[in-house]
Amino acid sequence: MATKVIYFTVGLCEEQAEFRSDDPADDIKETFRSAAEAGPNDILKLYNSRGNLINISPRIPDNTPDTRYKLDVVAAQCPGDKPLAEQLGFDINDIEQRLNALEKRVFIENGDLPRSVGVIQGQVEGFKNKLQGVEHLSWLGLFKDISSGTSLQPFWDKRALQRNDDHDKHIYEKYIRMSQVQITDEVRQYLRKPTFDNWQWDDPEMLVLLQQMYIDLGFLSKFNIELPVLQTWLFEIYRSYNSVPFHNFKHCFMVTQMMYGLTWLVDLQSMVDDIDILILLTSAICHDLGHPGYNNAYQINAKTELALRYNDISPLENHHCSIAFEILEKKHCNILANLNKDQYRRVREGMIKCILATDMAKHNEIVNNFKAIMDHFDINNKEHKYLLMMILMKVSDISNEARPMNVATPWLDCLLQEFFNQLLMILLKTADISNEVRPLEVAEPWIECLLEEFFIQSDIEKLEGLPVAPFMDRDKVTKPSSQIGFIKYVLLPLFEALGQLLPVIEKDIIEPVRNALDYYTQMQKAVEEEKEKNASSEKSKQNGLTNKMNGDIKV
Ligand code: 5GP
Ligand code: MN
């Protein structure tokens, strides 16, 4: 019986499988399953180069190394008797099974079990138990008493990043319905203010408001943008943001709204061309497209697909920008379709510059370059103008603290939530030693860096079963500790540099940031005081105890 070889890729690996045409189909499936390191309940899908599905059977059509198939593990199906795993789409028991299998293999091959395997095994078991026992982490979906029907989706569940088509359709229909209604002058004026409160508006309303910005800046007539094209483009943008805690469509809206507010506040139309304002607003809308909720450091350390694709150079920002132009390539979404060649070239160049400028790793470089041209700034100098545009983009991106307190505070909660999700993801990856990722390499820098945040320390302590000092409680301490440094060393130098060129932003943009710094400094002080109070009462308790033990109590 003839044997045949099938060539395929799994993730980034090239593989080949050899089998005979009379081998049982199950054996062949098993071969592919092991190539994908898939669990027994995972669904495997094999695609040919045209993207068509191929049945994994003895009759798989022949191919060559140049026409490799692509093997995907599409979803993990959990056994019906494991409601928790089913709900999570992620099964920590599976990690244990894989560890056991690895243990067996290592034992057979080496006759001895490396200590590290035992250590990680202990960590998995401990981590699992603790996750299941910590009530305040019930949002993770692992807490044992989880009430049925909870809408909270665990962050590592891939389904959290998948679109719900029915939901999206509903959003689109509502958006189109609402966009036929005239927006009041009052709302249009409010939309131009940096004090705008995003939390009052739902997704279709935010789409209408974004549309209104393009209308009120005259872009539809100036750049010959057809309204239906603008609408499908905006909806596609909406669909391309993920449901992550911070870098979601609401953040896209808020950053764009700040850019829009700045446009009016500093009268940008009197300084630069319309096309530059089109670049700024469109960059703001696109600047975090497809953000997965884990930052560049994670991408690079975990050697993710994005880091590999962009050679560790601003992987996320390159990704956002690439998605932006992919969307614009679609005919029904191309708001730039009626620009001439030169205009298009300018928009592309400008958007790439603005979006890549949002990588915080470039923060100091950009701020210093801007400061260096301050005393001879010339808006007609292309380089100067681009630097100003990059600064405006950065200011809009990290402007939450310039908002009124009731608007800014929930944003900080979202950001800290996303940081925390990332830490937990790393811990889970550390446990999953069969993963491609080299676990400790990924975990170490991150755990170290994130442990600086008190709230994480307190959560870890809770996980470890350690007592948590009240001053380290998530709600009380995270905010001042994370904000004071950020405002002092990141926000204010950036905002003040822009304020030097455009003093008009002082009152509406810079002052609120200074107030926020005062507010968090006060909060920090209160925390310190509470800490001291607790420490001294703990000390006197200890002394009392010592005295008691010495039988030395004086009445
Ligand atoms: P983005 O990821 O939104 O493009 O870039 C902004 C980054 O700056 C965020 O990911 C976050 O790390 C940081 N950032 C923005 N606003 C704040 C803030 O209010 N506090 C702190 N600590 N970091 C912030
Ligand atoms: Mn952003």
Side-chain angles (χ1 to χ4, degrees), residues 246-247 251 255 287-288 358 397:
F246 183 87
H247 291 97
H251 171 67
V255 173
H287 88 283
D288 271 331
T358 61
D397 191 21

Side-chain angles (χ1 to χ4, degrees), residues 217 222 262-274 276-277 379-380 385 388 502 504:
L217 286 168
K222 284 169 186 160
L262 282 170
T263 304
W264 294 105
L265 181 66
V266 308
D267 192 11
L268 214 51
Q269 282 162 309
S270 71
M271 296 169 66
V272 296
D273 296 342
D274 284 324
D276 295 318
I277 300 177
I379 196 74
N380 297 314
K385 188 177 71 180
L388 171 63
L502 306 169
V504 69

Side-chain angles (χ1 to χ4, degrees), residues 17-55:
E18 182 175 323
F19 51 86
R20 290 165 14 148
S21 50
D22 64 344
D23 280 345
D26 279 351
D27 287 2
I28 295 169
K29 282 204 173 112
E30 205 44 50
T31 307
F32 282 90
R33 194 172 291 286
S34 59
E37 293 181 358
N41 298 302
D42 288 342
I43 298 169
L44 293 183
K45 289 197 172 177
L46 191 65
Y47 297 91
N48 67 16
S49 49
R50 292 187 302 282
N52 295 329
L53 258 179
I54 299 172
N55 191 22

Side-chain angles (χ1 to χ4, degrees), residues 3-8 15-20 28 31-32 35 60 63 68:
T3 60
K4 66 164 141 190
V5 176
I6 296 294
Y7 301 89
F8 60 99
E15 297 274 10
Q16 56 196 71
E18 182 175 323
F19 51 86
R20 290 165 14 148
I28 295 169
T31 307
F32 282 90
I60 299 179
N63 69 354
R68 280 176 189 279

